[in-house]
Amino acid sequence: MASLSYRSRTQHSALSPRRAFFALGGGNAVEWYDWMVYGLLASYLGPQFFPSGNSLSSTLSALVVFAVGFAARPLGALVFGTLADRLGRRRIMLVSIGGMVVSTAVIAVLPTHASIGVWAGVILVVCRVLQGLSTGIEAPLNSAYIVEMAPEGQTARYGGIVSVYVQSGIIAASLVAFLTTTCLSTADMEAWGWRIPFAVGAVIGALFLWLRRNLPETLHRSSAPEATPPASQVWREVGRNKLALLAIVFVVAGAQALNYTWSTGLPNLARTAYDEDASAVFAVTTLSGLCIAVLYPLAGRLADRKRISRTFLVSRLAAVPLVFAVLAYQAPGMVLFTIVMLIGAPVLAFTMGLYTTVSATLMPMSCRVTGVGIGYAVGVAGFGGTAPYILLWLQDRGVSWVFPVYVAVLCLLSALFYTLAFRRGSVRIGT
């Protein structure tokens, strides 16, 4: 795809290129921060909104709500993805981060079950649905934006830069959780301290909502907007790329199943099943996130040098043996937990650093956000968001070995469908 000149794309924008990337990546970081805070604090949210007398049962209920947010992602992709391909990228970016800011602010001040009964859980579910709608479009919109804005031959590098922002949001979630659990007593944390990370996310999100208002538009090739295509035309384009859509589903499914296993599943397993110290768990997740962030730029540069397609396939196949490392953590012990978390960092850096860029290269510009959005939402909702629940559920049933087999199959299917799409000419960039 011929790259547009950055000047033509930004001549109506008040943002410099550096500030534009900061607004784009920072907004993405906020989305991931808000999304991950809920998962990390599920063991605190469960007893507050879904009391059952059993900490594991309450946490599982909170994780079900975590998964409900993922179920809303396909709807967000369907509605907002089509609008982004018809009206432009920038306006939908504002809608995306705005929805996340509002829902996170509500959670920060939401009364618990003890105050308003079952309505506390109902409102929490509504907030997670709104967050699901927002994140359902945020990731595919950002990946499309990067592919369209990056200079030729540097697509993966620029995608890696934005991935650093994404990881910084995940790291920030772990860090804020670590600081709050360290500074507050367990009783204070359970009573009101869990609200602090959500309040922090709402305030920072409002800042990046303001910064994004002047992002440049990349949909149109000239300063004058083209005629807005009808939604039916966008959907016909998606229909003509069915194999690419299937490939995107499993590219995302494999990446996000691995991601949520390490970022949410294992920390909650440590906290609820093995009663590990919360501060220690969050310190390790923060360290693991830092290791991944440091490796993101390397993944992008290597992919541009060795070809995105080749680097993706090698890293995805390397993830197959990695996932079996979760079986090493089958008893209490922070040493084992730390080792398993850090072993995953290198492969996760390549997996998470490339999957959004790879997904965007599988769809033409005319339906890129819609196609990537649908594939992303289905992959995350069906396989990523459910991974923490499945991990803990299988552990509770005494068949934990099933989980790594399940994730390994997803990774193998992603490599297979991507290869088929590649051979049929569906990969348009970085071949």
Side-chain angles (χ1 to χ4, degrees):
M1 182 186 75
S3 177
L4 306 180
S5 71
Y6 191 76
R7 171 182 286 181
S8 69
R9 286 189 300 241
T10 60
Q11 58 186 348
H12 293 300
S13 174
L15 293 182
S16 66
R18 180 174 296 180
R19 288 191 66 192
F21 269 104
F22 179 66
L24 175 69
N28 215 334
V30 169
E31 292 266 357
W32 278 94
Y33 170 92
D34 291 341
W35 190 260
M36 293 306 303
V37 157
Y38 182 99
L40 288 170
L41 298 178
S43 60
Y44 293 102
L45 294 170
Q48 296 294 329
F49 293 94
F50 310 102
S52 66
N54 179 281
S55 61
L56 180 58
S57 296
S58 294
T59 300
L60 286 172
S61 296
L63 288 175
V64 168
V65 178
F66 187 64
V68 166
F70 287 95
R73 286 189 173 189
L75 180 59
L78 287 171
V79 176
F80 296 118
T82 305
L83 290 175
D85 283 325
R86 296 180 64 225
L87 306 177
R89 318 308 196 200
R90 187 183 66 85
R91 279 181 278 183
I92 306 305
M93 284 184 180
L94 295 176
V95 172
S96 171
I97 193 171
M100 183 62 80
V101 169
V102 170
S103 56
T104 301
V106 171
I107 294 175
V109 298
L110 181 61
T112 64
H113 186 277
S115 299
I116 59 174
V118 70
W119 284 107
V122 171
I123 297 172
L124 183 65
V125 171
V126 171
C127 288
R128 286 300 292 176
V129 169
L130 181 56
Q131 289 185 332
L133 294 173
S134 297
T135 53
I137 192 57
E138 177 71 14
L141 191 54
N142 273 268
S143 60
Y145 196 85
I146 286 297
V147 165
E148 293 161 9
M149 188 162 63
E152 187 174 353
Q154 299 184 53
T155 304
R157 175 176 173 266
Y158 275 70
I161 292 172
V162 173
S163 293
V164 172
Y165 280 103
V166 171
Q167 191 63 28
S168 70
I170 297 173
I171 293 169
S174 293
L175 181 59
V176 173
F178 166 71
L179 291 174
T180 52
T181 53
T182 301
C183 296
L184 299 176
S185 67
T186 300
D188 286 342
M189 191 68 195
E190 292 173 349
W192 55 268
W194 58 268
R195 298 181 185 276
I196 295 175
F198 289 101
V200 170
V203 172
I204 298 176
L207 170 63
F208 281 100
L209 174 62
W210 181 78
L211 286 175
R212 275 192 174 188
R213 75 196 191 285
N214 286 326
L215 275 175
E217 179 57 63
T218 62
L219 178 61
H220 308 297
R221 291 182 175 272
S222 65
S223 57
E226 300 171 358
T228 301
S232 58
Q233 179 178 325
V234 175
W235 281 99
R236 280 195 297 270
E237 282 293 312
V238 174
R240 283 194 283 265
N241 291 272
K242 294 185 182 68
L243 179 58
L245 181 61
L246 183 62
I248 292 170
V249 168
F250 283 96
V251 165
V252 173
Q256 292 291 3
L258 285 166
N259 174 45
Y260 284 106
T261 297
W262 260 260
S263 65
T264 304
L266 286 171
N268 276 288
L269 180 67
R271 283 279 298 116
T272 58
Y274 302 140
D275 199 28
E276 306 281 17
D277 178 71
S279 296
V281 169
F282 292 138
V284 172
T285 58
T286 302
L287 176 61
S288 175
L290 285 170
C291 293
I292 294 171
V294 168
L295 293 172
Y296 270 146
L298 173 64
R301 291 192 186 97
L302 185 63
D304 283 329
R305 185 180 305 169
K306 300 295 184 180
R307 297 191 323 204
I308 295 173
S309 55
R310 179 182 298 171
T311 308
F312 164 73
L313 289 172
V314 170
S315 62
R316 189 52 60 94
L317 293 175
V320 173
L322 163 70
V323 72
F324 286 90
V326 302
L327 295 179
Y329 186 53
Q330 295 294 302
M334 281 303 300
V335 173
L336 274 176
F337 175 73
T338 303
I339 291 172
V340 171
M341 289 294 291
L342 294 181
I343 283 176
V347 176
L348 278 171
F350 278 81
T351 300
M352 296 302 294
L354 294 177
Y355 86 101
T356 54
T357 301
V358 167
S359 298
T361 65
L362 285 162
M363 283 286 169
M365 178 183 280
S366 58
C367 65
R368 181 166 289 141
V369 180
T370 304
V372 175
I374 294 170
Y376 182 91
V378 172
V380 173
F383 306 98
T386 56
Y389 183 90
I390 293 173
L391 173 64
L392 267 69
W393 185 81
L394 291 172
Q395 182 76 20
D396 190 48
R397 296 297 185 279
V399 287
S400 55
W401 63 269
V402 175
F403 184 78
V405 173
Y406 162 71
V407 179
V409 169
L410 291 179
C411 291
L412 291 172
L413 287 174
S414 69
L416 172 63
F417 287 119
Y418 179 82
T419 300
L420 292 175
F422 181 90
R423 290 179 177 176
R424 295 190 184 182
S426 295
V427 180
R428 294 166 172 81
I429 302 170
T431 59

